[in-house]
Amino acid sequence: MADRFPIRYEIGGNIASAVLDALLEHLLAVQMTREYGGCDDAASLRKEAERISGNSALKVCNSELAPYMTDELDLFLLEHRLAFVKRTDARHEYGGQIEWWRPGMKHLAKWEFTNAEATEVHVSLEFLKKALEQRKTLRKVVAELEGVAPDPGPLILVSRASQKICGRRRARSVNGPARQSDAQQQTTV
């Protein structure tokens, strides 16, 4: 049996109702709840998503989870371009780690040297020596560290109508200006 750890997610981004339903299925498949030891179902998680929409990230956790069990959830979040931060607490002989992704990033990023709750980044002497070898300034090192696990932003529920409008806008920007209908063309001639 694999070692199990407390794992927490913060999930943000624009999400349609159908995608939210699929996200809730993924969360419940790995028994993610709003608090450790909680007992949430799809309805309570949906209500929480509606409550926080536009204000904060959706925060869920599980106190006893093998890290490999969240692989499908991670892939789902990447596929649907939902920003997230995943914090795995230190336990047994393993240190804590933080993983994160934002739209525009090519790969999932990871920082493996944290405090026990994976809420603070620790810097090793080896990391600093490597930065010196690369002739990085302290300002550059600090900027890189500040980029570790940035806030994923709020989860925002979007309606079908706003998706259609956004889809039309994207289509126009990709295909050029929208074509006028025949009736509009006749009145402008």
Side-chain angles (χ1 to χ4, degrees), residues 58-107:
L58 178 63
K59 297 176 183 176
V60 292
C61 58
N62 183 321
S63 61
E64 295 288 328
L65 198 58
Y68 72 87
M69 294 177 73
T70 62
D71 290 349
E72 285 187 33
L73 175 58
D74 293 348
L75 290 173
F76 177 86
L77 295 170
L78 291 167
E79 180 182 317
H80 292 280
R81 303 182 50 76
L82 295 169
F84 69 94
V85 175
K86 174 182 167 184
R87 300 176 190 276
T88 304
D89 290 4
R91 191 178 270 182
H92 312 297
E93 68 272 15
Y94 302 102
Q97 73 179 22
I98 304 171
E99 298 171 272
W100 68 97
W101 185 85
R102 302 274 168 289
M105 291 175 64
K106 290 183 180 182
H107 306 285

mmCIF file of all heavy atoms in Angstrom, residues 58-107:
data_model
loop_
_atom_site.group_PDB
_atom_site.id
_atom_site.type_symbol
_atom_site.label_atom_id
_atom_site.label_comp_id
_atom_site.label_asym_id
_atom_site.label_seq_id
_atom_site.Cartn_x
_atom_site.Cartn_y
_atom_site.Cartn_z
ATOM 1 N N LEU A 58 -11.740 27.583 -5.231
ATOM 2 C CA LEU A 58 -12.386 26.454 -4.578
ATOM 3 C C LEU A 58 -11.302 25.688 -3.832
ATOM 4 O O LEU A 58 -10.306 25.285 -4.429
ATOM 5 C CB LEU A 58 -13.064 25.544 -5.610
ATOM 6 C CG LEU A 58 -13.751 24.292 -5.061
ATOM 7 C CD1 LEU A 58 -14.908 24.678 -4.113
ATOM 8 C CD2 LEU A 58 -14.260 23.420 -6.194
ATOM 9 N N LYS A 59 -11.481 25.494 -2.536
ATOM 10 C CA LYS A 59 -10.483 24.819 -1.704
ATOM 11 C C LYS A 59 -11.044 23.496 -1.216
ATOM 12 O O LYS A 59 -12.094 23.468 -0.572
ATOM 13 C CB LYS A 59 -10.079 25.709 -0.531
ATOM 14 C CG LYS A 59 -9.406 26.987 -1.002
ATOM 15 C CD LYS A 59 -9.088 27.924 0.121
ATOM 16 C CE LYS A 59 -8.475 29.202 -0.460
ATOM 17 N NZ LYS A 59 -8.228 30.201 0.532
ATOM 18 N N VAL A 60 -10.340 22.418 -1.563
ATOM 19 C CA VAL A 60 -10.749 21.078 -1.160
ATOM 20 C C VAL A 60 -9.539 20.309 -0.651
ATOM 21 O O VAL A 60 -8.393 20.662 -0.964
ATOM 22 C CB VAL A 60 -11.420 20.312 -2.322
ATOM 23 C CG1 VAL A 60 -12.763 20.916 -2.682
ATOM 24 C CG2 VAL A 60 -10.515 20.266 -3.544
ATOM 25 N N CYS A 61 -9.776 19.244 0.123
ATOM 26 C CA CYS A 61 -8.660 18.509 0.713
ATOM 27 C C CYS A 61 -9.055 17.073 1.031
ATOM 28 O O CYS A 61 -10.228 16.716 1.021
ATOM 29 C CB CYS A 61 -8.187 19.204 1.977
ATOM 30 S SG CYS A 61 -9.488 19.397 3.230
ATOM 31 N N ASN A 62 -8.029 16.272 1.309
ATOM 32 C CA ASN A 62 -8.194 14.901 1.778
ATOM 33 C C ASN A 62 -6.993 14.615 2.666
ATOM 34 O O ASN A 62 -5.855 14.838 2.269
ATOM 35 C CB ASN A 62 -8.247 13.914 0.607
ATOM 36 C CG ASN A 62 -8.491 12.493 1.048
ATOM 37 O OD1 ASN A 62 -7.984 12.029 2.059
ATOM 38 N ND2 ASN A 62 -9.270 11.766 0.254
ATOM 39 N N SER A 63 -7.227 14.096 3.871
ATOM 40 C CA SER A 63 -6.138 13.905 4.831
ATOM 41 C C SER A 63 -5.362 12.609 4.638
ATOM 42 O O SER A 63 -4.310 12.433 5.231
ATOM 43 C CB SER A 63 -6.664 13.975 6.265
ATOM 44 O OG SER A 63 -7.620 12.963 6.478
ATOM 45 N N GLU A 64 -5.843 11.694 3.835
ATOM 46 C CA GLU A 64 -5.191 10.392 3.661
ATOM 47 C C GLU A 64 -5.252 9.975 2.196
ATOM 48 O O GLU A 64 -6.076 9.153 1.807
ATOM 49 C CB GLU A 64 -5.885 9.322 4.519
ATOM 50 C CG GLU A 64 -5.763 9.548 6.000
ATOM 51 C CD GLU A 64 -4.355 9.266 6.514
ATOM 52 O OE1 GLU A 64 -3.669 8.384 5.967
ATOM 53 O OE2 GLU A 64 -3.944 9.949 7.472
ATOM 54 N N LEU A 65 -4.378 10.530 1.378
ATOM 55 C CA LEU A 65 -4.454 10.257 -0.053
ATOM 56 C C LEU A 65 -3.074 9.936 -0.607
ATOM 57 O O LEU A 65 -2.107 10.653 -0.332
ATOM 58 C CB LEU A 65 -5.024 11.488 -0.755
ATOM 59 C CG LEU A 65 -5.578 11.333 -2.150
ATOM 60 C CD1 LEU A 65 -6.693 10.299 -2.211
ATOM 61 C CD2 LEU A 65 -6.103 12.667 -2.647
ATOM 62 N N ALA A 66 -2.981 8.868 -1.390
ATOM 63 C CA ALA A 66 -1.733 8.556 -2.084
ATOM 64 C C ALA A 66 -1.604 9.537 -3.251
ATOM 65 O O ALA A 66 -2.573 9.720 -3.999
ATOM 66 C CB ALA A 66 -1.751 7.121 -2.591
ATOM 67 N N PRO A 67 -0.456 10.192 -3.404
ATOM 68 C CA PRO A 67 -0.314 11.222 -4.437
ATOM 69 C C PRO A 67 -0.680 10.773 -5.852
ATOM 70 O O PRO A 67 -1.246 11.551 -6.613
ATOM 71 C CB PRO A 67 1.152 11.621 -4.336
ATOM 72 C CG PRO A 67 1.496 11.363 -2.910
ATOM 73 C CD PRO A 67 0.724 10.128 -2.547
ATOM 74 N N TYR A 68 -0.396 9.528 -6.218
ATOM 75 C CA TYR A 68 -0.711 9.080 -7.570
ATOM 76 C C TYR A 68 -2.216 9.077 -7.837
ATOM 77 O O TYR A 68 -2.653 9.115 -8.989
ATOM 78 C CB TYR A 68 -0.132 7.685 -7.839
ATOM 79 C CG TYR A 68 -0.848 6.568 -7.116
ATOM 80 C CD1 TYR A 68 -1.966 5.958 -7.683
ATOM 81 C CD2 TYR A 68 -0.427 6.133 -5.862
ATOM 82 C CE1 TYR A 68 -2.645 4.945 -7.011
ATOM 83 C CE2 TYR A 68 -1.094 5.121 -5.191
ATOM 84 C CZ TYR A 68 -2.200 4.536 -5.766
ATOM 85 O OH TYR A 68 -2.868 3.544 -5.110
ATOM 86 N N MET A 69 -3.010 9.064 -6.787
ATOM 87 C CA MET A 69 -4.463 9.009 -6.953
ATOM 88 C C MET A 69 -5.038 10.310 -7.510
ATOM 89 O O MET A 69 -6.183 10.339 -7.960
ATOM 90 C CB MET A 69 -5.136 8.657 -5.630
ATOM 91 C CG MET A 69 -4.802 7.243 -5.164
ATOM 92 S SD MET A 69 -5.508 6.844 -3.560
ATOM 93 C CE MET A 69 -7.240 6.678 -3.994
ATOM 94 N N THR A 70 -4.271 11.387 -7.496
ATOM 95 C CA THR A 70 -4.765 12.664 -8.012
ATOM 96 C C THR A 70 -4.332 12.921 -9.452
ATOM 97 O O THR A 70 -4.629 13.985 -9.994
ATOM 98 C CB THR A 70 -4.286 13.832 -7.127
ATOM 99 O OG1 THR A 70 -2.860 13.888 -7.165
ATOM 100 C CG2 THR A 70 -4.773 13.684 -5.702
ATOM 101 N N ASP A 71 -3.665 11.973 -10.081
ATOM 102 C CA ASP A 71 -3.179 12.181 -11.452
ATOM 103 C C ASP A 71 -4.304 12.534 -12.420
ATOM 104 O O ASP A 71 -4.169 13.461 -13.221
ATOM 105 C CB ASP A 71 -2.432 10.942 -11.965
ATOM 106 C CG ASP A 71 -1.096 10.731 -11.278
ATOM 107 O OD1 ASP A 71 -0.641 11.654 -10.556
ATOM 108 O OD2 ASP A 71 -0.506 9.645 -11.450
ATOM 109 N N GLU A 72 -5.422 11.812 -12.359
ATOM 110 C CA GLU A 72 -6.542 12.096 -13.269
ATOM 111 C C GLU A 72 -7.144 13.474 -12.994
ATOM 112 O O GLU A 72 -7.529 14.179 -13.922
ATOM 113 C CB GLU A 72 -7.611 11.016 -13.161
ATOM 114 C CG GLU A 72 -7.217 9.723 -13.841
ATOM 115 C CD GLU A 72 -8.349 8.711 -13.880
ATOM 116 O OE1 GLU A 72 -9.528 9.122 -13.989
ATOM 117 O OE2 GLU A 72 -8.046 7.512 -13.784
ATOM 118 N N LEU A 73 -7.216 13.857 -11.734
ATOM 119 C CA LEU A 73 -7.714 15.188 -11.382
ATOM 120 C C LEU A 73 -6.784 16.255 -11.958
ATOM 121 O O LEU A 73 -7.250 17.223 -12.566
ATOM 122 C CB LEU A 73 -7.842 15.340 -9.867
ATOM 123 C CG LEU A 73 -8.229 16.713 -9.339
ATOM 124 C CD1 LEU A 73 -9.556 17.191 -9.921
ATOM 125 C CD2 LEU A 73 -8.290 16.687 -7.814
ATOM 126 N N ASP A 74 -5.479 16.069 -11.805
ATOM 127 C CA ASP A 74 -4.513 17.026 -12.352
ATOM 128 C C ASP A 74 -4.686 17.165 -13.863
ATOM 129 O O ASP A 74 -4.707 18.275 -14.402
ATOM 130 C CB ASP A 74 -3.074 16.605 -12.033
ATOM 131 C CG ASP A 74 -2.752 16.666 -10.549
ATOM 132 O OD1 ASP A 74 -3.544 17.236 -9.777
ATOM 133 O OD2 ASP A 74 -1.698 16.117 -10.165
ATOM 134 N N LEU A 75 -4.798 16.038 -14.555
ATOM 135 C CA LEU A 75 -4.966 16.061 -16.016
ATOM 136 C C LEU A 75 -6.268 16.751 -16.415
ATOM 137 O O LEU A 75 -6.310 17.510 -17.378
ATOM 138 C CB LEU A 75 -4.912 14.648 -16.586
ATOM 139 C CG LEU A 75 -3.551 13.970 -16.539
ATOM 140 C CD1 LEU A 75 -3.665 12.503 -16.965
ATOM 141 C CD2 LEU A 75 -2.534 14.702 -17.403
ATOM 142 N N PHE A 76 -7.332 16.504 -15.658
ATOM 143 C CA PHE A 76 -8.610 17.162 -15.929
ATOM 144 C C PHE A 76 -8.465 18.685 -15.804
ATOM 145 O O PHE A 76 -8.935 19.436 -16.658
ATOM 146 C CB PHE A 76 -9.680 16.653 -14.959
ATOM 147 C CG PHE A 76 -11.004 17.337 -15.120
ATOM 148 C CD1 PHE A 76 -11.918 16.884 -16.060
ATOM 149 C CD2 PHE A 76 -11.333 18.447 -14.349
ATOM 150 C CE1 PHE A 76 -13.140 17.531 -16.221
ATOM 151 C CE2 PHE A 76 -12.541 19.094 -14.506
ATOM 152 C CZ PHE A 76 -13.449 18.634 -15.448
ATOM 153 N N LEU A 77 -7.806 19.131 -14.733
ATOM 154 C CA LEU A 77 -7.631 20.570 -14.521
ATOM 155 C C LEU A 77 -6.794 21.186 -15.646
ATOM 156 O O LEU A 77 -7.119 22.276 -16.136
ATOM 157 C CB LEU A 77 -6.984 20.821 -13.154
ATOM 158 C CG LEU A 77 -7.834 20.422 -11.952
ATOM 159 C CD1 LEU A 77 -7.011 20.471 -10.672
ATOM 160 C CD2 LEU A 77 -9.077 21.289 -11.837
ATOM 161 N N LEU A 78 -5.745 20.500 -16.066
ATOM 162 C CA LEU A 78 -4.919 20.989 -17.176
ATOM 163 C C LEU A 78 -5.735 21.060 -18.463
ATOM 164 O O LEU A 78 -5.693 22.058 -19.184
ATOM 165 C CB LEU A 78 -3.708 20.072 -17.380
ATOM 166 C CG LEU A 78 -2.637 20.086 -16.296
ATOM 167 C CD1 LEU A 78 -1.679 18.914 -16.475
ATOM 168 C CD2 LEU A 78 -1.877 21.389 -16.311
ATOM 169 N N GLU A 79 -6.462 19.988 -18.755
ATOM 170 C CA GLU A 79 -7.248 19.899 -19.984
ATOM 171 C C GLU A 79 -8.282 21.016 -20.071
ATOM 172 O O GLU A 79 -8.544 21.559 -21.132
ATOM 173 C CB GLU A 79 -7.939 18.540 -20.037
ATOM 174 C CG GLU A 79 -8.797 18.314 -21.262
ATOM 175 C CD GLU A 79 -9.493 16.961 -21.221
ATOM 176 O OE1 GLU A 79 -8.842 15.962 -20.856
ATOM 177 O OE2 GLU A 79 -10.691 16.919 -21.551
ATOM 178 N N HIS A 80 -8.869 21.371 -18.938
ATOM 179 C CA HIS A 80 -9.918 22.391 -18.914
ATOM 180 C C HIS A 80 -9.393 23.775 -18.536
ATOM 181 O O HIS A 80 -10.172 24.683 -18.274
ATOM 182 C CB HIS A 80 -11.056 21.945 -17.997
ATOM 183 C CG HIS A 80 -11.799 20.780 -18.556
ATOM 184 N ND1 HIS A 80 -12.751 20.905 -19.533
ATOM 185 C CD2 HIS A 80 -11.675 19.456 -18.321
ATOM 186 C CE1 HIS A 80 -13.204 19.707 -19.862
ATOM 187 N NE2 HIS A 80 -12.555 18.813 -19.129
ATOM 188 N N ARG A 81 -8.070 23.897 -18.541
ATOM 189 C CA ARG A 81 -7.385 25.174 -18.334
ATOM 190 C C ARG A 81 -7.825 25.871 -17.036
ATOM 191 O O ARG A 81 -8.066 27.073 -16.998
ATOM 192 C CB ARG A 81 -7.577 26.089 -19.540
ATOM 193 C CG ARG A 81 -7.078 25.445 -20.836
ATOM 194 C CD ARG A 81 -7.197 26.306 -22.060
ATOM 195 N NE ARG A 81 -6.663 27.633 -21.939
ATOM 196 C CZ ARG A 81 -5.362 27.960 -21.965
ATOM 197 N NH1 ARG A 81 -4.463 27.029 -22.114
ATOM 198 N NH2 ARG A 81 -4.974 29.218 -21.852
ATOM 199 N N LEU A 82 -7.931 25.059 -15.963
ATOM 200 C CA LEU A 82 -8.282 25.590 -14.644
ATOM 201 C C LEU A 82 -7.005 25.709 -13.815
ATOM 202 O O LEU A 82 -6.315 24.714 -13.574
ATOM 203 C CB LEU A 82 -9.283 24.668 -13.948
ATOM 204 C CG LEU A 82 -10.647 24.577 -14.628
ATOM 205 C CD1 LEU A 82 -11.475 23.453 -14.042
ATOM 206 C CD2 LEU A 82 -11.381 25.906 -14.521
ATOM 207 N N ALA A 83 -6.677 26.917 -13.406
ATOM 208 C CA ALA A 83 -5.472 27.145 -12.596
ATOM 209 C C ALA A 83 -5.625 26.435 -11.259
ATOM 210 O O ALA A 83 -6.731 26.360 -10.708
ATOM 211 C CB ALA A 83 -5.291 28.646 -12.377
ATOM 212 N N PHE A 84 -4.510 25.898 -10.758
ATOM 213 C CA PHE A 84 -4.599 25.246 -9.454
ATOM 214 C C PHE A 84 -3.256 25.225 -8.745
ATOM 215 O O PHE A 84 -2.199 25.353 -9.360
ATOM 216 C CB PHE A 84 -5.153 23.820 -9.576
ATOM 217 C CG PHE A 84 -4.248 22.826 -10.249
ATOM 218 C CD1 PHE A 84 -3.402 22.016 -9.506
ATOM 219 C CD2 PHE A 84 -4.259 22.687 -11.623
ATOM 220 C CE1 PHE A 84 -2.575 21.096 -10.116
ATOM 221 C CE2 PHE A 84 -3.441 21.763 -12.256
ATOM 222 C CZ PHE A 84 -2.596 20.962 -11.503
ATOM 223 N N VAL A 85 -3.350 25.072 -7.428
ATOM 224 C CA VAL A 85 -2.207 24.826 -6.562
ATOM 225 C C VAL A 85 -2.534 23.565 -5.783
ATOM 226 O O VAL A 85 -3.633 23.443 -5.232
ATOM 227 C CB VAL A 85 -1.946 26.002 -5.589
ATOM 228 C CG1 VAL A 85 -0.825 25.659 -4.616
ATOM 229 C CG2 VAL A 85 -1.653 27.284 -6.340
ATOM 230 N N LYS A 86 -1.593 22.641 -5.753
ATOM 231 C CA LYS A 86 -1.764 21.374 -5.023
ATOM 232 C C LYS A 86 -0.675 21.308 -3.962
ATOM 233 O O LYS A 86 0.503 21.393 -4.286
ATOM 234 C CB LYS A 86 -1.637 20.211 -6.003
ATOM 235 C CG LYS A 86 -1.641 18.841 -5.379
ATOM 236 C CD LYS A 86 -1.459 17.817 -6.502
ATOM 237 C CE LYS A 86 -1.147 16.453 -6.017
ATOM 238 N NZ LYS A 86 -0.888 15.537 -7.153
ATOM 239 N N ARG A 87 -1.060 21.184 -2.711
ATOM 240 C CA ARG A 87 -0.110 21.130 -1.604
ATOM 241 C C ARG A 87 -0.162 19.750 -0.950
ATOM 242 O O ARG A 87 -1.227 19.305 -0.537
ATOM 243 C CB ARG A 87 -0.429 22.200 -0.569
ATOM 244 C CG ARG A 87 -0.362 23.609 -1.140
ATOM 245 C CD ARG A 87 -0.784 24.662 -0.115
ATOM 246 N NE ARG A 87 -0.931 25.952 -0.734
ATOM 247 C CZ ARG A 87 0.046 26.805 -0.954
ATOM 248 N NH1 ARG A 87 1.277 26.498 -0.587
ATOM 249 N NH2 ARG A 87 -0.176 27.970 -1.525
ATOM 250 N N THR A 88 0.987 19.095 -0.894
ATOM 251 C CA THR A 88 1.094 17.786 -0.255
ATOM 252 C C THR A 88 1.941 17.955 0.995
ATOM 253 O O THR A 88 3.104 18.348 0.916
ATOM 254 C CB THR A 88 1.752 16.767 -1.212
ATOM 255 O OG1 THR A 88 0.996 16.728 -2.429
ATOM 256 C CG2 THR A 88 1.779 15.382 -0.586
ATOM 257 N N ASP A 89 1.356 17.671 2.145
ATOM 258 C CA ASP A 89 2.064 17.840 3.417
ATOM 259 C C ASP A 89 3.196 16.827 3.558
ATOM 260 O O ASP A 89 3.151 15.739 2.985
ATOM 261 C CB ASP A 89 1.110 17.655 4.593
ATOM 262 C CG ASP A 89 0.108 18.789 4.724
ATOM 263 O OD1 ASP A 89 0.084 19.685 3.868
ATOM 264 O OD2 ASP A 89 -0.660 18.763 5.708
ATOM 265 N N ALA A 90 4.183 17.186 4.372
ATOM 266 C CA ALA A 90 5.263 16.258 4.711
ATOM 267 C C ALA A 90 4.713 15.178 5.632
ATOM 268 O O ALA A 90 3.851 15.432 6.469
ATOM 269 C CB ALA A 90 6.390 17.020 5.405
ATOM 270 N N ARG A 91 5.216 13.969 5.450
ATOM 271 C CA ARG A 91 4.813 12.871 6.321
ATOM 272 C C ARG A 91 5.832 11.747 6.166
ATOM 273 O O ARG A 91 6.399 11.578 5.100
ATOM 274 C CB ARG A 91 3.419 12.384 5.972
ATOM 275 C CG ARG A 91 2.871 11.426 7.040
ATOM 276 C CD ARG A 91 1.486 10.969 6.735
ATOM 277 N NE ARG A 91 0.510 11.888 7.337
ATOM 278 C CZ ARG A 91 -0.790 11.718 7.257
ATOM 279 N NH1 ARG A 91 -1.279 10.702 6.580
ATOM 280 N NH2 ARG A 91 -1.611 12.560 7.823
ATOM 281 N N HIS A 92 6.005 10.994 7.226
ATOM 282 C CA HIS A 92 6.965 9.883 7.235
ATOM 283 C C HIS A 92 8.352 10.454 6.901
ATOM 284 O O HIS A 92 8.738 11.470 7.456
ATOM 285 C CB HIS A 92 6.546 8.767 6.280
ATOM 286 C CG HIS A 92 5.113 8.367 6.422
ATOM 287 N ND1 HIS A 92 4.602 7.818 7.576
ATOM 288 C CD2 HIS A 92 4.069 8.470 5.564
ATOM 289 C CE1 HIS A 92 3.298 7.582 7.403
ATOM 290 N NE2 HIS A 92 2.952 7.968 6.201
ATOM 291 N N GLU A 93 9.043 9.841 5.975
ATOM 292 C CA GLU A 93 10.374 10.342 5.604
ATOM 293 C C GLU A 93 10.316 11.319 4.430
ATOM 294 O O GLU A 93 11.339 11.778 3.940
ATOM 295 C CB GLU A 93 11.324 9.174 5.265
ATOM 296 C CG GLU A 93 10.970 8.414 4.011
ATOM 297 C CD GLU A 93 9.990 7.268 4.222
ATOM 298 O OE1 GLU A 93 9.332 7.187 5.275
ATOM 299 O OE2 GLU A 93 9.870 6.444 3.305
ATOM 300 N N TYR A 94 9.124 11.670 3.969
ATOM 301 C CA TYR A 94 8.971 12.538 2.804
ATOM 302 C C TYR A 94 8.733 13.991 3.213
ATOM 303 O O TYR A 94 8.002 14.260 4.155
ATOM 304 C CB TYR A 94 7.794 12.063 1.938
ATOM 305 C CG TYR A 94 7.937 10.648 1.472
ATOM 306 C CD1 TYR A 94 7.220 9.625 2.095
ATOM 307 C CD2 TYR A 94 8.799 10.317 0.440
ATOM 308 C CE1 TYR A 94 7.346 8.317 1.677
ATOM 309 C CE2 TYR A 94 8.939 9.010 0.014
ATOM 310 C CZ TYR A 94 8.212 8.013 0.637
ATOM 311 O OH TYR A 94 8.350 6.718 0.227
ATOM 312 N N GLY A 95 9.318 14.895 2.465
ATOM 313 C CA GLY A 95 9.081 16.317 2.683
ATOM 314 C C GLY A 95 7.803 16.755 1.990
ATOM 315 O O GLY A 95 7.253 16.036 1.158
ATOM 316 N N GLY A 96 7.354 17.933 2.320
ATOM 317 C CA GLY A 96 6.175 18.487 1.659
ATOM 318 C C GLY A 96 6.532 18.978 0.271
ATOM 319 O O GLY A 96 7.702 19.191 -0.054
ATOM 320 N N GLN A 97 5.511 19.153 -0.566
ATOM 321 C CA GLN A 97 5.752 19.712 -1.887
ATOM 322 C C GLN A 97 4.551 20.521 -2.344
ATOM 323 O O GLN A 97 3.435 20.303 -1.888
ATOM 324 C CB GLN A 97 6.101 18.644 -2.913
ATOM 325 C CG GLN A 97 4.974 17.771 -3.353
ATOM 326 C CD GLN A 97 5.416 16.754 -4.395
ATOM 327 O OE1 GLN A 97 6.584 16.414 -4.508
ATOM 328 N NE2 GLN A 97 4.473 16.246 -5.154
ATOM 329 N N ILE A 98 4.831 21.435 -3.240
ATOM 330 C CA ILE A 98 3.793 22.272 -3.823
ATOM 331 C C ILE A 98 3.882 22.120 -5.338
ATOM 332 O O ILE A 98 4.968 22.213 -5.901
ATOM 333 C CB ILE A 98 3.998 23.762 -3.454
ATOM 334 C CG1 ILE A 98 4.049 23.941 -1.935
ATOM 335 C CG2 ILE A 98 2.891 24.614 -4.055
ATOM 336 C CD1 ILE A 98 4.470 25.332 -1.500
ATOM 337 N N GLU A 99 2.746 21.881 -5.968
ATOM 338 C CA GLU A 99 2.676 21.827 -7.423
ATOM 339 C C GLU A 99 1.647 22.855 -7.872
ATOM 340 O O GLU A 99 0.663 23.098 -7.174
ATOM 341 C CB GLU A 99 2.256 20.435 -7.898
ATOM 342 C CG GLU A 99 3.245 19.352 -7.516
ATOM 343 C CD GLU A 99 2.713 17.967 -7.801
ATOM 344 O OE1 GLU A 99 2.052 17.412 -6.913
ATOM 345 O OE2 GLU A 99 2.952 17.473 -8.916
ATOM 346 N N TRP A 100 1.869 23.453 -9.047
ATOM 347 C CA TRP A 100 0.923 24.450 -9.531
ATOM 348 C C TRP A 100 0.962 24.523 -11.043
ATOM 349 O O TRP A 100 1.920 24.103 -11.685
ATOM 350 C CB TRP A 100 1.194 25.822 -8.922
ATOM 351 C CG TRP A 100 2.474 26.470 -9.360
ATOM 352 C CD1 TRP A 100 2.639 27.396 -10.354
ATOM 353 C CD2 TRP A 100 3.783 26.239 -8.830
ATOM 354 N NE1 TRP A 100 3.950 27.752 -10.471
ATOM 355 C CE2 TRP A 100 4.680 27.056 -9.542
ATOM 356 C CE3 TRP A 100 4.284 25.424 -7.821
ATOM 357 C CZ2 TRP A 100 6.032 27.080 -9.277
ATOM 358 C CZ3 TRP A 100 5.641 25.445 -7.558
ATOM 359 C CH2 TRP A 100 6.499 26.273 -8.279
ATOM 360 N N TRP A 101 -0.137 25.062 -11.580
ATOM 361 C CA TRP A 101 -0.256 25.259 -13.024
ATOM 362 C C TRP A 101 -1.205 26.410 -13.291
ATOM 363 O O TRP A 101 -2.172 26.618 -12.557
ATOM 364 C CB TRP A 101 -0.782 23.991 -13.705
ATOM 365 C CG TRP A 101 -0.802 24.130 -15.190
ATOM 366 C CD1 TRP A 101 0.227 23.903 -16.056
ATOM 367 C CD2 TRP A 101 -1.905 24.561 -15.993
ATOM 368 N NE1 TRP A 101 -0.175 24.158 -17.338
ATOM 369 C CE2 TRP A 101 -1.478 24.565 -17.327
ATOM 370 C CE3 TRP A 101 -3.213 24.944 -15.700
ATOM 371 C CZ2 TRP A 101 -2.308 24.943 -18.378
ATOM 372 C CZ3 TRP A 101 -4.046 25.325 -16.747
ATOM 373 C CH2 TRP A 101 -3.591 25.310 -18.071
ATOM 374 N N ARG A 102 -0.903 27.166 -14.327
ATOM 375 C CA ARG A 102 -1.724 28.280 -14.804
ATOM 376 C C ARG A 102 -1.859 28.146 -16.314
ATOM 377 O O ARG A 102 -0.932 27.659 -16.967
ATOM 378 C CB ARG A 102 -1.043 29.638 -14.565
ATOM 379 C CG ARG A 102 -0.707 29.953 -13.163
ATOM 380 C CD ARG A 102 -1.925 30.581 -12.504
ATOM 381 N NE ARG A 102 -1.752 30.665 -11.077
ATOM 382 C CZ ARG A 102 -1.752 29.657 -10.235
ATOM 383 N NH1 ARG A 102 -1.862 28.443 -10.639
ATOM 384 N NH2 ARG A 102 -1.635 29.841 -8.940
ATOM 385 N N PRO A 103 -2.958 28.615 -16.896
ATOM 386 C CA PRO A 103 -3.018 28.657 -18.360
ATOM 387 C C PRO A 103 -1.813 29.430 -18.894
ATOM 388 O O PRO A 103 -1.427 30.454 -18.347
ATOM 389 C CB PRO A 103 -4.323 29.402 -18.640
ATOM 390 C CG PRO A 103 -5.173 29.095 -17.444
ATOM 391 C CD PRO A 103 -4.202 29.083 -16.283
ATOM 392 N N GLY A 104 -1.211 28.879 -19.920
ATOM 393 C CA GLY A 104 -0.018 29.486 -20.503
ATOM 394 C C GLY A 104 1.264 28.760 -20.105
ATOM 395 O O GLY A 104 2.282 28.901 -20.766
ATOM 396 N N MET A 105 1.217 28.002 -19.013
ATOM 397 C CA MET A 105 2.398 27.227 -18.614
ATOM 398 C C MET A 105 2.459 25.953 -19.451
ATOM 399 O O MET A 105 1.437 25.331 -19.718
ATOM 400 C CB MET A 105 2.331 26.854 -17.129
ATOM 401 C CG MET A 105 2.488 28.029 -16.192
ATOM 402 S SD MET A 105 2.267 27.579 -14.441
ATOM 403 C CE MET A 105 3.625 26.462 -14.156
ATOM 404 N N LYS A 106 3.674 25.566 -19.865
ATOM 405 C CA LYS A 106 3.827 24.354 -20.658
ATOM 406 C C LYS A 106 3.714 23.100 -19.801
ATOM 407 O O LYS A 106 3.216 22.079 -20.260
ATOM 408 C CB LYS A 106 5.174 24.355 -21.378
ATOM 409 C CG LYS A 106 5.250 25.373 -22.484
ATOM 410 C CD LYS A 106 6.561 25.279 -23.214
ATOM 411 C CE LYS A 106 6.606 26.327 -24.314
ATOM 412 N NZ LYS A 106 7.823 26.247 -25.090
ATOM 413 N N HIS A 107 4.194 23.168 -18.565
ATOM 414 C CA HIS A 107 4.231 21.996 -17.706
ATOM 415 C C HIS A 107 3.776 22.350 -16.292
ATOM 416 O O HIS A 107 3.849 23.501 -15.881
ATOM 417 C CB HIS A 107 5.655 21.419 -17.626
ATOM 418 C CG HIS A 107 6.253 21.134 -18.950
ATOM 419 N ND1 HIS A 107 5.898 20.066 -19.713
ATOM 420 C CD2 HIS A 107 7.192 21.806 -19.659
ATOM 421 C CE1 HIS A 107 6.576 20.069 -20.838
ATOM 422 N NE2 HIS A 107 7.361 21.120 -20.830
#
